[in-house]
Amino acid sequence: MDAIQTLKNILEKEMIPSTKEVFKRGEFLKLPETINHNLYFVLSGSLRVYFIDDCEEHILYFGYKKSLVTAIDSFFSKKKSSLYVQALKKTEVLKISKQNLMSFLKSNPRYFDLYFHIMEELIQLRIEKEKILLISSPINRYKRLLHQMPELFQEIPNKYIASYLRMSPETFSRIKNLDLNQDLLI
């Protein structure tokens, strides 16, 4: 997502107040029943955003180098969220508050247009994830994700990708080891 990098570079160039933070593996950027007031640009490492229902974790999305992460429901609503944001490995982020971001975006229509473009891209990614999860075959879910987000497989541990695809780590491992040169189900 080049638009995300462009926004990050503009924020740094314009010296919009932000802080670099480092999170250890397993450390939380946000816990449930808290309000999220920050947007995180991932500089290195990886994160997951998830919730727990009936003692089962459900991963909504991942963050890794050059991506944005936030508990989006809370970020927009200013209400408590049931989402966790957790570092999967040592992760460095650039944290900017919603207040600072919005003040900056309102200062120039060009910046707000860029932000709007990023939101459009994020919505498209969400739609693609929904399509992937509606595919009944685990093999085709795996192939589609691999085709659409190959970088995910470089940045995120397999057990979390398996959870994201709603399959067991064992099923994921078997599929990963198959010869998957067949055409993708689109």
Side-chain angles (χ1 to χ4, degrees), residues 6-17:
T6 300
L7 178 60
K8 180 184 118 1
N9 294 341
I10 291 170
L11 291 168
E12 289 177 330
K13 181 181 174 190
E14 298 291 328
M15 298 191 322
I16 304 306

Side-chain angles (χ1 to χ4, degrees), residues 107-123:
S107 72
N108 184 326
R110 192 177 110 236
Y111 299 151
F112 200 81
D113 288 346
L114 178 62
Y115 179 73
F116 188 78
H117 179 69
I118 290 169
M119 292 300 114
E120 286 176 328
E121 287 182 4
L122 294 175
I123 290 167

Side-chain angles (χ1 to χ4, degrees), residues 35-185:
I35 299 172
N36 181 64
H37 300 283
N38 301 306
L39 189 63
Y40 302 95
F41 292 93
V42 182
L43 304 173
S44 66
S46 60
L47 304 153
R48 67 180 174 148
V49 178
Y50 69 100
F51 68 96
I52 298 176
D53 181 49
D54 292 331
C55 299
E56 186 178 349
E57 292 180 4
H58 300 279
I59 298 173
L60 296 175
Y61 58 93
F62 298 104
Y64 42 87
K65 190 175 181 176
K66 297 185 178 182
S67 66
L68 284 175
V69 172
T70 190
I72 200 157
D73 57 343
S74 181
F75 186 77
F76 288 119
S77 72
K78 301 178 191 169
K79 296 179 181 174
K80 291 181 181 179
S81 167
S82 63
L83 298 179
Y84 294 81
V85 179
Q86 182 184 33
L88 296 176
K89 54 186 167 185
K90 182 180 174 183
T91 302
E92 184 178 10
V93 298
L94 182 65
K95 179 175 88 173
I96 182 167
S97 72
K98 181 177 181 178
Q99 181 180 357
N100 288 342
L101 178 65
M102 291 304 161
S103 293
F104 167 73
L105 293 173
K106 290 175 185 176
S107 72
N108 184 326
R110 192 177 110 236
Y111 299 151
F112 200 81
D113 288 346
L114 178 62
Y115 179 73
F116 188 78
H117 179 69
I118 290 169
M119 292 300 114
E120 286 176 328
E121 287 182 4
L122 294 175
I123 290 167
Q124 286 298 326
L125 284 173
R126 183 65 196 166
I127 289 169
E128 287 305 315
K129 188 218 178 184
E130 291 299 320
K131 286 180 183 176
I132 289 168
L133 293 179
L134 291 172
I135 295 170
S136 60
S137 161
I139 291 173
N140 287 331
R141 286 197 306 265
Y142 174 90
K143 288 166 58 175
R144 189 150 183 168
L145 184 65
L146 181 62
H147 175 74
Q148 291 176 345
M149 298 179 180
E151 67 281 357
L152 190 81
F153 291 81
Q154 305 301 314
E155 300 292 336
I156 306 298
N158 288 341
K159 71 178 186 177
Y160 296 113
I161 299 173
S163 175
Y164 181 74
L165 290 172
R166 296 187 181 179
M167 63 179 74
S168 71
E170 295 79 18
T171 299
F172 181 85
S173 180
R174 280 194 299 274
I175 292 170
K176 189 175 176 185
N177 291 324
L178 291 174
D179 179 13
L180 298 175
N181 292 325
Q182 305 164 9
D183 290 336
L184 286 170
L185 173 67

